[in-house]
Amino acid sequence: MYQVVPGGAGGTITTGIPIKQKMGKEGRPLVGAGVLGLVLVISAVTAWCYYIASLRKADLLKTELLDLNKDRFLIRNQAGAIVFRMAFRSGTLDLDSCSKEGEILSCSRSEAGKLNFFIQTVRPKGTVMCYRVRWEELESDRPVEHAMSYNGSHWYGGAESSTQHWPILITGQQAPKPFVTSDIYSNRNDFGGILERYWLSSNASAIKINDSVPFHLGWNDTEKTMYFQARYQDSPYKPNPGHPPFAELSYRVCVGSDVTSIHKYMVRRYFNKPNKVPSKAMFRHPIWSTWALHKTEIDQEKLLEYAANIQKYSFNCSHLELDDRYTSRYGEFEFDPVKFPNASGMFQKLKADGFLITLWTHPFINYDSANFHVGVQKGLFVREPTGMLPALVRWWNGIGSILDFTNQDARDWFSSHLRSLKLNYGVVSFKFDAGETSYLPWQFSTRTPLHDPSTFTRRYTEMAIPFNERAELRVGYQSQNISCFFRLIDRDSVWGYELGLKSLIPTVLTISILGYQFIMPDMIGGNVYPNRTDGGRRLPDRELYIRWLELSAFMPAMQFSVPPWEYDAEVIQIAQRFTALHETLVAPRVLELAGEVLDTGDPIIRPLWWIATGDETAYKIDSQFLIGDDLMVAPVLEPGKQERDIYLPAGRWRSYKGEIFDNKGPLHLTDYPVDLDEIAYFVWM
């Protein structure tokens, strides 16, 4: 052995045997300091290694404009501003399981176990950047939930609702619930009969949820977030046969340069387009319905009198709509012989007088109808979960079963009865009522299994295709290619945002953004339902009726039910003037835009931000709208008002009074006078 003698390299070796020496007190601090220094060096090196590794991981989990973290991701626009935030609420990623290959970030584990997760960057042509996102759990009964932040922007789209605002106004907290079509007149807190899994924001980002997702939607107004959830447990969604019930939340997020251009991109990429334009007469002339005036008390005498008065007061008529109820029982297709003792003669008279007639129809067969037994024997109905018996459902006109439109036999049976009505009476088309998923039982079975219950709505809308020249639907889900008019759900005869006059523009703008452009804004003045009419009158309030009429004149189609002659000569005169204005000014422009819809899918009725994409004020305006880019409409929607504030986008505009406004920037007209028999509108010059 050896001993090193103090003196360093100049010392000498005196023996190979180690000599034990007792360390003095003065040497101990030196050793402790050395050990501590060594520990600090090791710690520093370790920290540096972790830092370098974290930098590499952080760089790994980024793409050009996207950052991924264990509990969220965010997207920036080309200017570097954050325009989209999505948090992972149901679990966090194990970043050590993540990797990057080209434009794909993928991870295989969360803190709860195995999963399939990826974000793929897609670079379409132009200024748009898109991201495909997929989170699939690999254990049953484990939901996936992501939370989209409003991020200080305004959002549009989603669904028709009973209290409609533009942009979306979320209130309170809602746990995620099935995003399926529902009758919002009966269930005011549900999603509406026209909906799509699509949202658009004012900061030029948009999200489209994939069709395969068992999609549930919730929200929190405190957090300013919308919850996107995928789950199968306690849900009407079902996994595809033979596939495990692993929840998958997948969607596409796209970011562009402005809100209008990104919406144009999304519509062209992801939405169906109609393949034809409905009857031009429906755009030019009013539709007249018997419903609001006569309800179920309609009969042959009242129908003929109604038609005679249309002619008496010199109104045009696209067609006359015979609504509920002309049959003895719901589910039959023959006229009630008591109410319509000579149906054939009645139709001949109406035809001779120049009237085309459409009939109300629906998917229900009540249990007291003779056709109920036919449907049971032939297996035409939606069935209870075992598939052994037809399911009974309650709707607003009683109890019965609902036709299974996934069953070709049921489709053929229903269509054959509609064709017989056309053949026997000269009926030109039909008003297809109902069709919402909410009328299906919570648990049910159909001939073709439905992964997504709203597919039932899609199947029902297809029944209108043979009659689409003048057909009318009130539901839509992936149904933009059904080339007929889509009607807003029934309106109450009130002024407000809950199914009232103020809800018309927000609702029309919303379903336009969802790809439905041939829009019928329900009946002028509302439906005059008991306890849902301002003042409890037999008729809508006179002022409300006039303002409703004026607004409807600037929509793609007008629909009367309560007729003007129920009021007085002045109301008749106003109605005559505005139906003429609709025919000469509005319809030609709308028909031109309707032809463009077949190629572009662009809205006919447009929000003001369509031509003012950078203006914060334009994002929030819900009482004005555009027809195309060059006709701006600003109706009065408040009782007792004969003036209103008007926002005028930059440009050269001529008012309906002949005034010229040549403004380089947006212009606000305060207390602009609008008489009771007027509506303010401006034409781009």
Side-chain angles (χ1 to χ4, degrees):
M1 301 297 291
Y2 61 88
Q3 178 185 22
V4 178
V5 178
T12 58
I13 299 175
T14 58
T15 175
I17 302 174
I19 300 175
K20 294 182 180 180
Q21 291 184 339
K22 187 175 182 180
M23 182 178 292
K25 293 182 179 179
E26 66 278 5
R28 293 175 185 172
L30 294 175
V31 174
V35 172
L36 178 61
L38 181 61
V39 170
L40 290 174
V41 170
I42 293 173
S43 299
V45 171
T46 302
W48 177 255
C49 291
Y50 274 112
Y51 174 67
I52 294 299
S54 65
L55 286 179
R56 290 174 179 170
K57 177 61 70 175
D59 184 62
L60 172 71
L61 300 180
K62 287 185 177 182
T63 63
E64 182 179 349
L65 299 171
L66 179 142
D67 294 350
L68 173 66
N69 207 322
K70 65 178 182 178
D71 58 356
R72 52 105 179 116
F73 70 89
L74 59 85
I75 299 172
R76 294 180 172 85
N77 61 17
Q78 296 290 345
I82 297 173
V83 294
F84 189 88
R85 298 176 187 267
M86 187 74 88
F88 307 141
R89 281 176 51 90
S90 54
T92 58
L93 296 173
D94 178 356
L95 296 184
D96 289 332
S97 73
C98 300
S99 61
K100 181 179 179 182
E101 183 175 348
E103 298 291 352
I104 301 177
L105 297 173
S106 60
C107 306
S108 59
R109 292 195 309 273
S110 70
E111 92 290 352
K114 292 183 178 181
L115 84 162
N116 289 326
F117 172 84
F118 74 80
I119 298 179
Q120 179 183 9
T121 303
V122 182
R123 303 168 185 268
K125 294 180 180 179
T127 60
V128 174
M129 185 77 79
C130 293
Y131 305 87
R132 295 176 58 220
V133 183
R134 182 170 181 258
W135 181 308
E136 181 189 15
E137 290 289 348
L138 297 180
E139 288 188 18
S140 302
D141 300 330
R142 183 186 292 167
V144 184
E145 185 174 318
H146 294 177
M148 184 181 74
S149 169
Y150 271 36
N151 200 42
S153 61
H154 307 289
W155 286 84
Y156 315 91
E160 184 183 17
S161 63
S162 61
T163 303
Q164 198 92 48
H165 292 280
W166 178 271
I168 294 170
L169 176 63
I170 60 171
T171 57
Q173 289 79 44
Q174 171 65 55
K177 60 182 182 179
F179 191 68
V180 296
T181 58
S182 300
D183 178 354
I184 52 173
Y185 196 86
S186 300
N187 305 291
R188 305 236 167 168
N189 294 322
D190 285 351
F191 304 113
I194 298 176
L195 59 73
E196 300 292 334
R197 303 169 168 198
Y198 171 70
W199 287 268
L200 172 73
S201 99
S202 59
N203 61 12
S205 59
I207 182 169
K208 175 70 170 63
I209 309 297
N210 287 353
D211 297 342
S212 60
V213 174
F215 183 53
H216 298 68
L217 178 67
W219 55 84
N220 187 312
D221 66 348
T222 302
E223 298 176 356
K224 303 300 182 188
T225 55
M226 295 173 66
Y227 302 147
F228 297 157
Q229 187 189 77
R231 75 170 192 262
Y232 288 113
Q233 66 274 27
D234 188 31
S235 170
Y237 293 96
K238 304 300 176 190
N240 288 325
H243 290 255
F246 295 161
E248 171 205 321
L249 181 59
S250 55
Y251 48 89
R252 290 169 170 80
V253 180
C254 292
V255 176
S257 58
D258 62 76
V259 60
T260 301
S261 63
I262 193 61
H263 178 67
K264 284 174 173 281
Y265 171 81
M266 297 297 285
V267 167
R268 286 156 175 74
R269 178 65 179 82
Y270 298 116
F271 284 5
N272 295 319
K273 311 293 186 304
N275 54 30
K276 61 178 293 187
V277 176
S279 167
K280 293 181 179 180
M282 289 186 69
F283 292 92
R284 291 176 176 143
H285 303 145
I287 296 96
W288 298 80
S289 169
T290 62
W291 173 248
L293 183 64
H294 293 299
K295 303 294 193 297
T296 59
E297 300 302 316
I298 187 64
D299 59 28
Q300 182 170 320
E301 181 181 353
K302 291 174 181 174
L303 179 62
L304 291 172
E305 180 185 14
Y306 193 47
N309 280 328
I310 294 172
Q311 291 184 321
K312 175 182 176 181
Y313 293 102
S314 302
F315 286 100
N316 285 324
C317 176
S318 167
H319 59 258
L320 179 55
E321 190 174 83
L322 175 54
D323 212 297
D324 182 14
R325 131 183 202 186
Y326 55 88
T327 60
S328 300
R329 291 178 176 84
Y330 294 104
E332 298 179 357
F333 297 89
E334 288 298 329
F335 284 85
D336 182 340
V338 176
K339 298 175 72 174
F340 297 89
N342 184 9
S344 296
M346 177 187 73
F347 278 101
Q348 290 173 4
K349 165 67 173 168
L350 291 169
K351 182 178 180 180
D353 290 340
F355 287 97
L356 301 177
I357 308 298
T358 65
L359 297 179
W360 176 77
T361 191
H362 55 84
F364 305 103
I365 310 294
N366 277 12
Y367 72 92
D368 60 352
S369 165
N371 282 329
F372 183 81
H373 304 287
V374 174
V376 171
Q377 292 173 352
K378 294 187 175 183
L380 305 180
F381 298 138
V382 173
R383 306 178 80 81
E384 44 78 43
T386 68
M388 300 296 292
L389 296 171
L392 290 179
V393 299
R394 181 182 294 276
W395 62 299
W396 66 89
N397 277 328
I399 297 174
S401 287
I402 188 167
L403 289 166
D404 179 3
F405 293 107
T406 75
N407 179 353
Q408 188 60 49
D409 292 340
R411 297 166 69 91
D412 291 344
W413 183 85
F414 185 63
S415 293
S416 68
H417 282 289
L418 300 186
R419 289 195 302 269
S420 293
L421 287 168
K422 285 194 67 175
L423 179 64
N424 295 337
Y425 299 104
V427 173
V428 296
S429 192
F430 298 89
K431 170 184 176 178
F432 291 85
D433 213 350
E436 295 90 350
T437 298
S438 58
Y439 285 109
L440 296 171
W442 179 252
Q443 297 293 332
F444 64 91
S445 65
T446 50
R447 177 68 62 88
T448 302
L450 295 179
H451 165 76
D452 176 356
S454 289
T455 304
F456 183 85
T457 294
R458 163 69 195 185
R459 298 284 86 83
Y460 179 58
T461 61
E462 291 169 352
M463 302 308 299
I465 292 175
F467 315 101
N468 60 12
E469 187 74 6
R470 293 176 184 267
E472 175 186 328
L473 286 160
R474 81 172 196 187
V475 292
Y477 178 67
Q478 300 175 5
S479 305
Q480 297 94 335
N481 65 318
I482 309 297
S483 302
C484 66
F485 271 86
F486 288 83
R487 174 179 65 88
L488 307 191
I489 192 69
D490 299 31
R491 302 286 121 171
D492 291 328
S493 299
V494 297
W495 288 89
Y497 283 102
E498 183 177 347
L499 296 177
L501 177 61
K502 285 186 180 179
S503 72
L504 283 182
I505 296 174
T507 306
V508 169
L509 290 174
T510 296
I511 66 175
S512 293
I513 287 297
L514 299 179
Y516 297 88
Q517 310 307 341
F518 308 141
I519 300 170
M520 187 180 297
D522 201 44
M523 300 167 188
I524 292 169
N527 288 268
V528 210
Y529 291 127
N531 303 319
R532 297 193 182 278
T533 300
D534 280 346
R537 301 175 176 86
R538 184 184 69 86
L539 296 174
D541 172 74
R542 182 179 184 273
E543 182 186 8
L544 173 68
Y545 183 86
I546 292 172
R547 292 305 192 190
W548 207 305
L549 163 65
E550 293 164 352
L551 171 55
S552 292
F554 285 82
M555 290 291 166
M558 300 180 71
Q559 187 178 43
F560 283 102
S561 187
V562 173
W565 55 83
E566 290 290 315
Y567 292 93
D568 52 50
E570 183 184 16
V571 174
I572 294 171
Q573 184 181 32
I574 293 173
Q576 290 169 337
R577 182 154 54 85
F578 274 92
T579 54
L581 184 66
H582 175 84
E583 181 178 356
T584 57
L585 173 67
V586 179
R589 183 68 181 115
V590 167
L591 279 167
E592 179 183 355
L593 294 165
E596 297 173 6
V597 167
L598 309 186
D599 296 321
T600 68
D602 288 348
I604 293 174
I605 304 299
R606 301 173 181 177
L608 265 62
W609 51 250
W610 194 265
I611 61 171
T613 56
D615 191 333
E616 175 67 19
T617 300
Y619 295 141
K620 298 180 287 186
I621 291 178
D622 67 351
S623 63
Q624 300 176 223
F625 60 92
L626 294 164
I627 302 174
D629 290 344
D630 52 10
L631 178 56
M632 195 275 289
V633 187
V636 173
L637 305 174
E638 298 278 351
K641 298 288 187 181
Q642 296 200 32
E643 69 282 324
R644 63 156 293 163
D645 294 342
I646 295 175
Y647 166 91
L648 207 57
R652 182 176 173 84
W653 298 89
R654 182 181 69 248
S655 79
Y656 69 106
K657 300 178 181 180
E659 306 152 308
I660 303 298
F661 298 91
D662 193 358
N663 44 302
K664 295 182 179 179
L667 185 64
H668 294 267
L669 308 178
T670 304
D671 293 332
Y672 187 83
V674 186
D675 291 342
L676 180 60
D677 62 346
E678 295 179 328
I679 186 171
Y681 64 90
F682 301 77
V683 178
W684 181 283
M685 298 178 62

